[in-house]
Amino acid sequence: MHKNIVLTGFMGTGKTSTGRLLARKLGTRFIDTDTLIEKEAGIPIREIFEKFGEVHFRGLEREIVKKVAEENGVVIAVGGGAIVNPANLTDLKRHGIVVSLTASVEVILSRVEKNIDRPLLKVEDKLGKIKELIAVRAPFYEKAEITVDTDCKNPEQVADEILELVISVSD
Ligand code: S3P
């Protein structure tokens, strides 16, 4: 059995772009839980939040995480809030090495500023909201086996760094 590589971390840390690249390098499949949630719901995440609220979204996310956690040898990117639920982290760790991507709040802001698809950041003071959420979530992101800082790096560099670190923890 090959372990999955699971990418977690705050919005804008590059989970999706890095994950896609990492999967290509490994010749395996890339799974993005947000994409699966949208497929299942038939509407974008933004609309799930608007129509049904965050609690409903977390329920859908929980079901998708349960499913993808059973995979073997794939790269999985989960939404930035997924591992705040300890059950999600436990499931993902069963078959996977969890990698947390980090970035400074300024870099995160610059990456998410123009994007309207992040309902939790649909507020006037985006920087304040990013800081507030990261303060709550940092202890959860720290539960990953590997942490990679993504400031001033492109997805290619981040993917290569992850590959090296994954090999060293698997040895
Ligand atoms: C969320 C992050 C989003 C998405 C949803 C909630 C969060 O995913 O799951 O908007 O709680 O941080 P990305 O981290 O891929 O942007």
Side-chain angles (χ1 to χ4, degrees):
M1 185 192 89
H2 283 291
K3 283 207 152 192
N4 299 319
I5 298 178
V6 180
L7 303 184
T8 180
F10 200 72
M11 295 173 260
T13 52
K15 300 180 292 289
T16 304
S17 41
T18 305
R20 199 171 285 135
L21 205 58
L22 195 56
R24 202 182 306 148
K25 283 174 187 279
L26 289 165
T28 189
R29 251 180 333 128
F30 172 62
I31 297 175
D32 185 282
T33 56
D34 283 341
T35 306
L36 293 183
I37 293 167
E38 291 187 331
K39 257 194 204 150
E40 194 128 322
I43 49 173
I45 302 242
R46 176 177 31 87
E47 239 176 278
I48 302 176
F49 271 73
E50 277 165 18
K51 289 195 172 140
F52 308 109
E54 182 174 353
V55 173
H56 180 78
F57 170 78
R58 295 299 169 202
L60 298 177
E61 183 175 58
R62 171 75 193 118
E63 291 311 310
I64 293 291
V65 167
K66 261 194 224 169
K67 268 190 218 158
V68 302
E70 296 301 319
E71 296 275 353
N72 287 304
V74 301
V75 176
I76 301 167
V78 296
I83 66 156
V84 172
N85 180 343
N88 284 339
L89 184 64
T90 303
D91 286 350
L92 290 163
K93 278 194 167 177
R94 204 170 296 127
H95 292 185
I97 298 171
V98 178
V99 180
S100 184
L101 301 185
T102 61
S104 65
V105 287
E106 291 78 16
V107 167
I108 288 174
L109 180 66
S110 72
R111 290 180 187 161
V112 301
E113 219 162 17
K114 297 208 168 56
N115 193 312
I116 54 147
D117 289 330
R118 294 196 165 94
L120 291 178
L121 299 180
K122 233 177 113 186
V123 293
E124 195 63 38
D125 178 17
K126 286 194 175 40
L127 187 63
K129 187 69 186 176
I130 291 168
K131 285 182 181 165
E132 180 193 316
L133 283 170
I134 287 184
V136 173
R137 291 179 180 180
F140 297 96
Y141 295 140
E142 282 162 16
K143 292 186 202 288
E145 278 106 322
I146 293 171
T147 298
V148 175
D149 177 57
T150 67
D151 274 4
C152 311
K153 290 177 198 159
N154 60 37
E156 176 83 30
Q157 291 167 309
V158 177
D160 286 341
E161 202 171 320
I162 293 172
L163 278 178
E164 266 177 44
L165 291 165
V166 165
I167 292 165
S168 68
V169 296
S170 314
D171 279 346

